[in-house]
Amino acid sequence: MMRGLLFLALVLSACGALLQPGYASNMVLQRAPQQAILAGNGLTAGAAIIVNFNGRNGTATASANGAWNYSLPATPAGGPYNITVYSGSSQQQLINVLFGDVILCSGQSNMEFKMSQIFSNETYLNAAANYPDIRVLLNYNGNWQVSSKAALSSFSAVCYLSALNTYNTSRIPLGLLQATVGGTRIELWSPPGTQSNCYGYDIPNFSSLYNARIAPFIPQRIAAIIWYQGESNVNGAGVYNCQLANLVRSWRANFGYDDSLPWFIVQLAGWASGNYRALSGQRQAEENVADTVPNVSIYTAADLHDRLSTFGNIHPRNKEPIGLRISNGLLNKLYNKNLVSAGASFNKVESVKTIANNSAVNITLTISFVTDQTSQGLTIRKINCSDPEISAYCSNLFEISVQIAGAAAVPTKWIAVQQYSLQNGMLVLSTAIPVNSSYTGWRYAWEDIPPMVLYNAANYPTLPYQSQAPSLFPSDGYYTIEHINYGYGIGYRNGSVEQGVQLSVVQRVNPVWLFQADSDHFGSLRHNSTGLYLTTSNVNCSLVSLEPKSGQNNQRWFMINTGLDDLRYSIYNSVCGWKVLNNNCNPALNITLTDDALGTCSIWSLNHIASAPPSTTTSRSTILQTTSQTTVQNITQDITRTTADHDIGTTALPSGGHLLSSSAIFICVALLVSLSL
């Protein structure tokens, strides 16, 4: 008899199901105090629906478009229950349903990484059948499965391990929804229209994965979201900072939640990206979101690298530690535990002491930590620098930045710390710096594969940190714009830079440009020597040349931090749909605007030369100080240095802005000489 009922339920489900995909036997529905919601579509407008649950009937009516939903009574954790839905002569039955906490796990390949691929996979898979209260759904249109070796072999390791460690303490049933696609950018996971305030940025097929993989779960009730994504957005940290914050808010709103829905970010693991510490900038963007958006927690995987992974070094197999870290966060947020779920945070630099001698200056920084339970048992762990994966990074555990006197036009110099220790609960860094330099900042674990050494008693690492992270936007002022590898500037390859000639990259030329930003972070790029403006063709916005400002409509440019080290930016045109200035680094090619595919020359280094003349528009720093700011500006305020932070003390430019100050000219000449050597 039972076997016949099961067969009937499967037939009814396959032939005109009343419930939308995602609702199936063996599922977990969200427990009290929330009310789980059943939902369906495809019915005739006005059709009556009857829901039988726990001995009681409830009713719903299909809307004009045939959709319906029904809120079940708030039900404590437990089960199993059977639920039957009727409409006319059709019915659909859900059997073996539990109430517990539903967790949505989404992102790209490291969230998609399977249980069968991790270290110790057999241990976990062989024990999977011991946890029938954990249920999994791999993509919304599949079938819910009870925990078993077969069910978990292809399921997300990070998602399951986070849930397993949580369940072992809470004993509350858990339903895991996996929505993942490897190699995907955050734009594709964003609801339509929600990223328009991220500086107008857009790419083709916007929102396709959100529509296909996330929207079908709505309006199911959930308890938390775990997000592991960002590898495909590396080299665009400035944009990602805004996009991830918008993603969090939009998903919460579309699921019908406010900031009360916990969100967990996995900070990217280490791999040899070869992109000038681009991973560090991306990790910083993720941390910025956790610091500025309510009820968002971050759990780093930066120390979980795996050079020998048979799935590529971007996919470490050691997912167990990140699962353990997230589980403490879940226990705190969902079950009111008071467990340590973060590493110790840096507080401030308590003192900077220098002792000069004939050839160098010895500098000592004393840095305090936030005094709370996360700093208990803090230690510096030894690392194995013979490990080929981290040997190249071992000398850069801690670094101090200095400004070299007379070299204000070049990026700050970073110097590896020679000695570091914990003394009386504080971090003490000591090293030698040049005699003609001054301290500007410090950082920790700022590498693609950082050898992380600071751990607390709960085994949580201190997050990578930089005291003066690069600003999202360049300040108003004069800059040199060079290709990221240096030695290439924007110019005209066969002669002087002149009006109407298409531009290219040229060796040993370092043109000076004026970036005059508006309060919305757009601006114009003017070539200092000629007074002409960087503009694009009026035909297809692909050709880049210099033209007078008058009559040109394509001079609104946007430079945003790439996440790479120190003043490196991508240059976009606001009129032309956010394409990137590029020419694949071939001097024989003209500079064009191309889609943001992270091409060879799409990232440029900006070296600040001098302050801009007084702006005729409202300055960004003034705008950000007002209280009536948009969400994006509030986020930007926290991580963007003001104009004064970039100023180098040069004499102000004449009001016309066509000439550099004498000190700035000296700097430019020095740069040209150095590039020619």
Side-chain angles (χ1 to χ4, degrees):
M1 179 66 178
M2 185 63 181
R3 184 174 299 173
L5 288 174
L6 282 170
F7 178 77
L8 176 61
L10 289 172
V11 171
L12 290 170
S13 178
C15 302
L18 299 174
L19 290 158
Q20 68 186 35
Y23 292 92
S25 294
N26 300 319
M27 75 180 303
V28 176
L29 290 170
Q30 185 59 40
R31 67 184 173 104
Q34 295 194 57
Q35 289 183 260
I37 296 177
L38 302 180
N41 48 50
L43 298 182
T44 302
I49 298 97
I50 299 173
V51 176
N52 179 268
F53 169 67
N54 205 20
R56 297 183 180 182
N57 286 338
T59 61
T61 302
S63 66
N65 63 5
W68 64 274
N69 63 63
Y70 175 78
S71 296
L72 294 169
T75 305
Y81 294 93
N82 292 340
I83 302 172
T84 307
V85 180
Y86 306 87
S87 183
S89 60
S90 299
Q91 72 172 25
Q92 182 177 352
Q93 187 177 40
L94 308 180
I95 64 173
N96 192 27
V97 174
L98 299 179
F99 282 79
D101 285 312
V102 181
I103 300 171
L104 173 59
C105 300
S106 187
Q108 58 181 106
S109 55
N110 268 306
M111 179 62 87
E112 194 171 53
F113 202 77
K114 302 173 184 178
M115 282 295 298
S116 61
Q117 296 172 318
I118 67 168
F119 292 135
S120 306
N121 60 77
E122 285 298 320
T123 299
Y124 287 103
L125 292 175
N126 290 336
N130 299 329
Y131 298 96
D133 284 354
I134 298 179
R135 313 288 177 83
V136 299
L137 177 61
L138 178 55
N139 295 320
Y140 77 95
N141 56 353
N143 292 317
W144 279 87
Q145 299 184 70
V146 178
S147 178
S148 67
K149 183 173 185 177
L152 293 181
S153 290
S154 298
F155 196 76
S156 165
V158 169
C159 190
Y160 179 74
L161 292 173
S162 300
L164 176 64
N165 296 319
T166 302
Y167 177 80
N168 281 334
T169 297
S170 70
R171 294 294 165 176
I172 299 294
L174 292 173
L176 308 180
L177 308 174
Q178 179 180 338
T180 57
V181 179
T184 53
R185 294 171 62 134
I186 193 173
E187 294 90 341
L188 303 179
W189 294 99
S190 303
T194 58
Q195 300 293 13
S196 59
N197 67 335
C198 285
Y199 329 115
Y201 187 82
D202 201 352
I203 63 169
N205 302 317
F206 198 69
S207 304
S208 60
L209 288 179
Y210 172 82
N211 292 332
R213 302 297 181 103
I214 302 301
F217 284 127
I218 298 172
Q220 287 198 43
R221 300 293 81 197
I222 58 178
I225 294 175
I226 305 174
W227 175 255
Y228 193 168
Q229 188 276 337
E231 295 91 342
S232 290
N233 288 88
V234 166
N235 293 353
V239 176
Y240 192 83
N241 185 94
C242 171
Q243 291 173 321
L244 182 54
N246 277 352
L247 186 84
V248 172
R249 294 188 180 94
S250 61
W251 283 24
R252 283 173 169 171
N254 290 356
F255 271 95
Y257 293 97
D258 55 20
D259 292 339
S260 62
L261 180 67
W263 191 290
F264 301 89
I265 297 171
V266 180
Q267 192 180 48
L268 296 185
W271 85 90
S273 70
N275 284 323
Y276 302 88
R277 301 183 177 91
L279 284 179
S280 297
Q282 190 75 334
R283 293 183 188 120
Q284 182 64 47
E286 293 167 332
E287 186 176 353
N288 289 340
V289 174
D291 289 342
T292 56
V293 180
N295 205 14
V296 175
S297 306
I298 188 165
Y299 299 87
T300 191
D303 57 335
L304 306 179
H305 42 81
D306 184 7
R307 177 178 60 90
L308 300 178
S309 174
T310 53
F311 308 99
N313 65 1
I314 198 173
H315 300 124
R317 293 164 290 181
N318 48 340
K319 304 297 188 191
E320 296 168 272
I322 196 65
L324 283 168
R325 292 166 187 173
I326 295 171
S327 67
N328 273 13
L330 287 168
L331 289 167
N332 289 343
K333 296 290 186 179
L334 304 186
Y335 310 112
N336 298 315
K337 302 294 183 182
N338 187 30
L339 303 172
V340 176
S341 61
S345 297
F346 297 113
N347 180 28
K348 63 180 180 179
V349 176
E350 298 290 343
S351 66
V352 179
K353 298 180 180 179
T354 57
I355 301 176
N357 56 40
N358 293 331
S359 59
V361 173
N362 292 323
I363 185 171
T364 300
L365 272 62
T366 301
I367 302 159
S368 61
F369 293 87
V370 175
T371 305
D372 58 19
Q373 60 179 352
T374 66
S375 62
Q376 295 176 4
L378 186 64
T379 60
I380 292 180
R381 294 186 178 178
K382 292 183 178 181
I383 54 175
N384 178 18
C385 287
S386 62
D387 180 349
E389 188 162 22
I390 62 173
S391 58
Y393 307 103
C394 270
S395 61
N396 298 325
L397 297 177
F398 300 94
E399 295 172 282
I400 289 177
S401 66
V402 297
Q403 187 68 60
I404 306 297
V410 298
T412 302
K413 180 177 178 61
W414 288 96
I415 297 174
V417 169
Q418 297 167 332
Q419 295 180 336
Y420 55 89
S421 62
L422 287 174
Q423 299 178 20
N424 299 319
M426 295 189 184
L427 178 66
V428 179
L429 308 178
S430 298
T431 196
I433 61 175
V435 292
N436 61 339
S437 64
S438 58
Y439 164 78
T440 56
W442 72 282
R443 64 189 182 190
Y444 163 65
W446 207 260
E447 294 283 0
D448 284 353
I449 307 176
M452 299 171 71
V453 295
L454 290 169
Y455 289 79
N456 61 16
N459 201 31
Y460 281 82
T462 293
L463 298 180
Y465 176 83
Q466 183 166 240
S467 63
Q468 292 177 307
S471 60
L472 284 182
F473 309 99
S475 303
D476 299 0
Y478 281 99
Y479 293 86
T480 60
I481 300 177
E482 303 171 86
H483 172 238
I484 187 172
N485 286 327
Y486 299 97
Y488 286 109
I490 299 176
Y492 177 46
R493 61 180 175 269
N494 293 323
S496 61
V497 177
E498 58 188 46
Q499 178 180 335
V501 175
Q502 196 173 354
L503 300 181
S504 61
V505 293
V506 291
Q507 291 182 321
R508 295 189 300 276
V509 173
N510 209 351
V512 178
W513 300 77
L514 172 68
F515 179 76
Q516 184 65 55
D518 295 330
S519 58
D520 58 2
H521 311 302
F522 298 98
S524 58
L525 283 168
R526 185 177 66 198
H527 187 261
N528 182 63
S529 299
T530 63
L532 299 172
Y533 289 81
L534 193 69
T535 189
T536 63
S537 68
N538 291 322
V539 179
N540 58 13
C541 285
S542 63
L543 304 181
V544 179
S545 62
L546 288 174
E547 300 289 347
K549 187 171 186 179
S550 175
Q552 297 298 320
N553 299 317
N554 294 329
Q555 294 169 349
R556 281 173 64 78
W557 299 90
F558 181 6
M559 296 187 286
I560 189 165
N561 179 39
T562 61
L564 309 187
D565 263 359
D566 296 326
L567 300 180
R568 285 172 179 154
Y569 291 77
S570 288
I571 304 174
Y572 299 90
N573 184 278
S574 65
V575 179
C576 299
W578 299 111
K579 297 186 178 181
V580 180
L581 198 64
N582 203 347
N583 89 333
N584 298 315
C585 259
N586 185 343
L589 297 177
N590 293 324
I591 287 177
T592 60
L593 285 176
T594 63
D595 289 326
D596 183 3
L598 304 179
T600 307
C601 268
S602 62
I603 298 169
W604 303 82
S605 181
L606 303 187
N607 292 337
H608 189 253
I609 299 297
S611 304
S615 173
T616 57
T617 61
T618 306
S619 70
R620 177 165 66 254
S621 58
T622 301
I623 288 291
L624 289 175
Q625 288 169 6
T626 63
T627 56
S628 58
Q629 284 306 292
T630 63
T631 301
V632 173
Q633 287 171 324
N634 284 333
I635 296 171
T636 304
Q637 185 178 23
D638 289 336
I639 59 176
T640 304
R641 290 177 290 178
T642 62
T643 301
D645 289 326
H646 283 288
D647 289 345
I648 59 175
T650 56
T651 306
L653 291 167
S655 58
H658 293 292
L659 296 175
L660 287 172
S661 64
S662 58
S663 58
I665 292 174
F666 174 80
I667 292 167
C668 292
V669 172
L671 274 175
L672 289 171
V673 171
S674 65
L675 287 171
S676 65
L677 295 178

